[in-house]
Amino acid sequence: METRVLEIDPLEDCRAAYREAAALLAEGQLVAIPTETVYGLGADAFNADAVAQVFAVKERPHFDPLICHLPNAAAVHEIADVPEGLRGLVDTLAAEFWPGPMTLVLPRRACVPDIVTSGLPTVACRVTSHEAMRGVAKALGHPVAAPSANRFGHISPTSAAAVLKELGGAIPLVLDAGACSEGLESTILAPCLDDKGNPAVRVLREGPITREKLREVCRVLKPAKKGAQEDAPSAPNAPGQLKSHYAPSKPLTLCSPFGPFTPQPGVRYGLISYKGESKLAQMDCWVEKMSLSPGSGRLAEAAVRLFAVMRAMDECEDVDAIVAEELPTVGLGAAMMDRLTRAAADRNA
Ligand code: AMP
Ligand code: MG
């Protein structure tokens, strides 16, 4: 199959492109569509056969549910049944962070096919700030079920070029709106009642909406320590958040910016540094060095560039193994360290 790339400029009128993408989705085909976080591989969420194709093309296990993209916050109620006690919280979160990089896991309605939710009683809902995904969902008249447009477990694509490397030849169309402005997958939240019956959120996946930002508007449950009592036993967990994910094809190791790092003889190392100025970055064992935010270091810039830099290092012919510098785990650093830790995890463990 030939994959057509249709360039769009969201500052201009793109409705014809959105209609074209929606027409393919309505036929049961798949289209790669940009969001502000990463490119998504979209299917009509109400067409179980089309959604099955998403799993097949991505080689994604069926226990890993998909996110449904909606044209606006009101559409949540078409696929989710928000419990009375959580309505205030959901409204606050929607008003504060939608459209934006936030996904809410809510009790599902029967119209959502089992394959979308991996059979769970909940559905993941998102209203992205990217006009393209919202425009296509509006033109389709159904939610678009879309995971990241990469093969399962690989680095997420933050440009149309990266989508083509992952899925070129397997899908008919990519809408190309250039690089994604956030660069990290959405923050996934489960609104729930805590052990005292008060509304709260559990963070199922760290992302661009940080815990710090969330705490300004609602109660945020602390991550449950292993073996500890959950403070909201009814909250769903996040299936599919596998230990190994976001992985380059080369081995990736995490290392403190202060070292020590002991290179193995004969191995050519590439370093992904935060600012490019650390003790680690000054070692002379690197055949290639890339910085996420050169100079003073800005976490937002690092987040936008993380997956593109991981990809560039993975494609660098001189490099056998990648070393990534640990990042501060505040703000966006927490989401980036989540991705880097999974990228470094042993795939066979
Ligand atoms: P991706 O689309 O690849 O960014 O991944 C979507 C992720 O959303 C999955 O890996 C799950 O962890 C999470 N997710 C989607 N639906 C649900 C759900 N119903 N309950 C809990 N987590 C979900
Ligand atoms: Mg993904």
Side-chain angles (χ1 to χ4, degrees):
M1 177 188 304
E2 197 187 324
T3 302
R4 196 157 77 84
V5 177
L6 182 55
E7 282 189 27
I8 53 168
D9 177 355
L11 294 177
E12 297 187 353
D13 184 354
C14 302
R15 278 175 295 183
Y18 302 157
R19 278 197 297 271
E20 193 175 330
L24 285 169
L25 296 180
E27 280 172 19
Q29 306 218 52
L30 309 185
V31 179
I33 306 165
T35 74
E36 78 278 43
T37 58
V38 305
Y39 274 68
L41 175 63
D44 177 349
F46 290 169
N47 180 339
D49 292 336
V51 175
Q53 280 304 308
V54 171
F55 284 92
V57 163
K58 273 186 66 98
E59 295 157 39
R60 180 177 174 115
H62 281 269
F63 60 73
D64 192 1
L66 306 185
I67 292 172
C68 287
H69 290 262
L70 303 162
N72 51 54
V76 163
H77 302 283
E78 290 166 22
I79 57 170
D81 189 8
V82 184
E84 181 80 47
L86 294 177
R87 269 186 213 156
L89 172 64
V90 168
D91 287 347
T92 302
L93 290 167
E96 199 71 34
F97 301 118
W98 273 344
M102 174 183 74
T103 298
L104 296 183
V105 172
L106 295 164
R108 72 191 255 211
R109 287 194 187 277
C111 57
V112 184
D114 272 343
I115 188 166
V116 173
T117 69
S118 302
L120 293 167
T122 50
V123 59
C125 307
R126 164 128 181 250
V127 182
T128 157
S129 66
H130 205 298
E131 202 212 80
M133 182 64 96
R134 281 188 287 123
V136 173
K138 191 166 168 218
L140 179 65
H142 288 171
V144 177
S148 49
N150 53 285
R151 305 263 173 195
F152 185 71
H154 287 196
I155 304 170
S156 300
T158 52
S159 66
V163 174
L164 284 179
K165 285 198 181 125
E166 290 284 333
L167 301 176
I171 56 173
L173 182 66
V174 181
L175 291 186
D176 178 1
C180 300
S181 62
E182 296 279 354
L184 287 180
E185 297 85 352
S186 61
T187 304
I188 304 182
L189 302 175
C192 55
L193 296 177
D194 67 11
D195 51 3
K196 299 197 176 64
N198 296 317
V201 293
R202 159 157 302 146
V203 178
L204 300 183
R205 177 172 72 189
E206 308 272 351
I209 309 288
T210 59
R211 284 176 186 269
E212 289 87 339
K213 279 194 219 165
L214 288 167
R215 273 191 220 111
E216 287 174 19
V217 300
C218 66
R219 178 160 142 66
V220 182
L221 299 181
K222 292 208 181 71
K225 297 227 168 64
K226 269 203 189 108
Q229 178 80 24
E230 296 269 341
D231 45 7
S234 63
N237 59 10
Q241 296 297 299
L242 300 184
K243 202 169 151 230
S244 169
H245 209 123
Y246 315 107
S249 59
K250 295 171 186 170
L252 183 145
T253 318
L254 273 168
C255 188
S256 156
F258 305 104
F261 175 69
T262 314
Q264 300 292 315
V267 179
R268 298 169 304 167
Y269 291 96
L271 177 71
I272 299 178
S273 171
Y274 176 27
K275 305 177 188 176
E277 292 172 350
S278 61
K279 214 170 145 192
L280 187 67
Q282 284 164 34
M283 287 179 68
D284 56 13
C285 56
W286 315 115
V287 296
E288 184 66 66
K289 226 169 21 179
M290 297 182 189
S291 303
L292 296 174
S293 181
S296 56
R298 287 187 177 81
L299 287 171
E301 181 184 30
V304 168
R305 287 168 40 77
L306 178 66
F307 287 138
V309 167
M310 278 168 72
R311 238 170 228 289
M313 199 55 106
D314 206 22
E315 285 167 8
C316 193
E317 281 179 10
D318 297 337
V319 171
D320 304 319
I322 304 171
V323 175
E325 212 172 274
E326 288 168 359
L327 297 161
T329 49
V330 291
L332 280 170
M336 283 188 273
M337 276 302 283
D338 168 72
R339 308 307 188 267
L340 284 171
T341 308
R342 291 176 206 271
D346 182 353
R347 271 154 261 182
N348 303 313

